[in-house]
Amino acid sequence: MLAPHEDGPGGPSSPLISISGLSKAYPGGPEVFSDLSLEIFPGECVALIGANGSGKSTLLKCMTGVVPATSGTVNALGQNFNGSPSTRQRKALSQQLGFVFQQHGLVRRLTALSNVVHGFLGRAGSWRAWHQSIAPQFMRRRALESLETVNLSHKANARADQLSGGQAQRVAIARALVRDPDLLIADEPCASLDPAAGHDVMQQFVDLARRKNITLIFTSHDMEHAQRYADRVIALKAGRVFFDQQSSDLDPNDLQRVFDG
């Protein structure tokens, strides 16, 4: 796999996501961030860090068209839009995206396999993805393959409420992977896990992203995770990009300054 920005046979890689002058403010509230510009390249693993309220989650949602920006332009996964994507663009984006959140959102009374099959919901004919017993064979096969990828095929028939926190988050990863996304977004994926499970989940993320050539962006308050697992760290502070550096160039003082008042 080419390193980020590395020249391939066709020349330098183009950004997978490019944002320019992006701002977001909610009606009657303060500006979340202002005039942000940055690029994310194919194959990168990027940590987005910042204090609570710095706009990390909102930025992820704006750059992927989930939430409309107030101003600025976004070019993401081949879709170019100002503020909010069209219905057609939103559908095209959703086909290439995988999301994993802090609260994994599994249906507790359903099996791990059924929860992974849910990754197909939103596609044509996807009403059959509600339960693995009525899902088409190709969906069940892909879901089982995704569980195998995160080393949980032996838990396929276990109910979600019987899984540990780390196992549940790995099922959520499998659910995101079942679509074969080009971009995987993970918003505080380890915040509710103990340290050992958190490292296990992050290692799964990074190994899978590199093996499948998926671009990974994750938010975290854990500076060890940011420096250990990301190629690049982008810090937000006071509504701006505070720094954007390769993780290997950072030291603990750089990271601490993000959270200093």
Side-chain angles (χ1 to χ4, degrees), residues 6 27 47 55 58-59 62 73 99 104 117 131-132 135 139 143 148 188 198 200 216 231 242 253 255 261:
E6 185 177 333
T58 303
L59 176 57
C62 287
T73 60
F99 284 96
H104 39 70
V117 169
H131 197 282
Q132 61 89 11
M139 288 185 183
E148 177 67 32
E188 296 284 353
D200 178 61
L216 172 63
D231 306 313
F242 187 63
N253 289 331
L255 298 171

Side-chain angles (χ1 to χ4, degrees), residues 26-180:
Y26 290 102
E31 203 165 47
V32 182
F33 51 76
S34 176
D35 198 28
L36 296 187
S37 297
L38 57 87
E39 295 177 330
I40 307 292
F41 287 82
E44 284 193 300
C45 178
V46 178
L48 187 60
I49 67 171
N52 287 333
S54 61
K56 303 184 299 297
S57 298
T58 303
L59 176 57
L60 292 179
K61 292 173 183 176
C62 287
M63 71 167 57
T64 54
V66 176
V67 168
T70 304
S71 62
T73 60
V74 177
N75 193 320
L77 300 163
Q79 306 300 315
N80 191 53
F81 54 93
N82 296 316
S84 182
S86 66
T87 300
R88 177 190 61 78
Q89 289 176 318
R90 190 174 290 107
K91 182 177 180 180
L93 287 166
S94 71
Q95 299 300 313
Q96 302 174 74
L97 280 168
F99 284 96
V100 178
F101 301 100
Q102 176 183 344
Q103 302 301 327
H104 39 70
L106 303 184
V107 180
R108 294 172 56 82
R109 61 185 175 80
L110 295 183
T111 64
L113 181 58
S114 286
N115 274 282
V116 176
V117 169
H118 287 177
F120 288 103
L121 290 172
R123 293 190 170 184
S126 64
W127 65 269
R128 297 179 65 190
W130 172 245
H131 197 282
Q132 61 89 11
S133 64
I134 59 172
Q137 185 61 32
F138 83 91
M139 288 185 183
R140 294 185 77 257
R141 183 177 65 251
R142 290 274 298 279
L144 284 167
E145 289 170 354
S146 288
L147 282 171
E148 177 67 32
T149 299
V150 297
N151 301 316
L152 280 180
S153 58
H154 63 292
K155 293 289 187 179
N157 293 316
R159 281 174 46 135
D161 56 10
Q162 297 173 335
L163 302 174
S164 69
Q167 288 172 337
Q169 194 62 298
R170 283 156 60 194
V171 171
I173 296 172
R175 181 180 57 193
L177 289 174
V178 80
R179 290 173 175 255
D180 287 329

Side-chain angles (χ1 to χ4, degrees), residues 191-206:
S192 61
L193 302 179
D194 64 59
H199 280 292
D200 178 61
V201 165
M202 283 308 307
Q203 194 64 60
Q204 288 270 346
F205 268 124
V206 173

